[in-house]
Amino acid sequence: MSQDSRLRVVCLAGPSDAGKTSLVQELIPELAADGRVATVKSIHHDIEIDTPGTDTHRHRSAGAETVVGVTPELTFDISTRGKRDPPEPTGDEPLLETDDPELRALSRTLERLADRGYDTVIVEGFAAAPLPTILVGDRDPEAVGGPVVGRGDDPIDDLLAAIRSLAGLAVPTGGRRSNKSGD
């Protein structure tokens, strides 16, 4: 039986070098006091995040769809299905109703983060996502897919209050996570 949990998600949208990453760095420690925080960063070009020749790179090159690396300090997973060919959502209904592959990839990522027990996710980029958005820099409110809940130059306490007041998205999680935050 599936149980819905509430996942607070906010996008930060703005042009390059507008200060989005700096704002993310400022928000994370404050929001972490409320519960688990994850971030999602939209990257518009291909990068190699795994060192060629390492065992994890060799696993992926051999055809593994997902490779998980566990070190003494970090756990990371690398999946071959990015924005161009995202996996389908696993819930009965997708978190974000969209035919756009980039937003489908974001939707699937948010589902995984909810399933892993995160309370808040800050999304840097994905301006077209129909999610609450903080505008950073010179960004037209009409150029984003979600409601504007703040601006990057607002006082940090106002932005935190706006994020904390978000009702959150109902995310089917297969009953593995309860709604600890009461949202």
Side-chain angles (χ1 to χ4, degrees):
M1 181 165 97
S2 178
Q3 173 180 334
D4 284 349
S5 67
R6 304 302 284 187
L7 181 67
R8 270 190 316 220
V9 181
V10 65
C11 287
L12 274 63
S16 294
D17 297 323
K20 296 183 300 292
T21 301
S22 295
L23 182 55
V24 169
Q25 288 179 287
E26 200 171 347
L27 292 169
I28 289 172
E30 299 295 330
L31 293 170
D34 302 338
R36 296 181 69 205
V37 178
T39 65
V40 177
K41 170 70 173 113
S42 177
I43 301 172
H44 300 289
H45 56 279
D46 284 329
I47 61 171
E48 180 56 63
I49 57 171
D50 196 11
T51 305
T54 62
D55 290 348
T56 53
H57 187 270
R58 292 171 61 196
H59 295 184
R60 186 167 49 95
S61 296
E65 185 174 319
T66 298
V67 176
V68 178
V70 181
T71 75
E73 296 293 324
L74 300 171
T75 299
F76 62 92
D77 65 69
I78 303 166
S79 297
T80 59
R81 304 197 63 185
K83 293 179 184 180
R84 290 188 190 110
D85 184 28
E88 292 298 323
T90 58
D92 294 333
E93 295 181 21
L95 184 60
L96 302 176
E97 293 284 340
T98 182
D99 291 329
D100 181 317
E102 184 172 322
L103 294 182
R104 234 179 36 244
L106 174 61
S107 180
R108 182 64 185 106
T109 299
L110 293 174
E111 286 177 10
R112 283 195 325 265
L113 292 172
D115 210 30
R116 292 175 183 173
Y118 288 91
D119 300 295
T120 303
V121 178
I122 302 171
V123 177
E124 184 178 334
F126 293 98
L131 297 167
T133 302
I134 295 172
L135 298 178
V136 181
D138 189 22
R139 176 59 60 119
D140 180 1
E142 300 298 318
V144 298
V148 175
V149 297
R151 293 195 168 266
D153 55 2
D154 289 347
I156 193 71
D157 288 338
D158 291 352
L159 293 175
L160 290 165
I163 294 168
R164 287 175 173 138
S165 73
L166 296 174
L169 302 171
V171 182
T173 62
R176 288 183 282 235
R177 177 177 180 252
S178 65
N179 181 10
K180 296 180 288 187
S181 64
D183 288 340

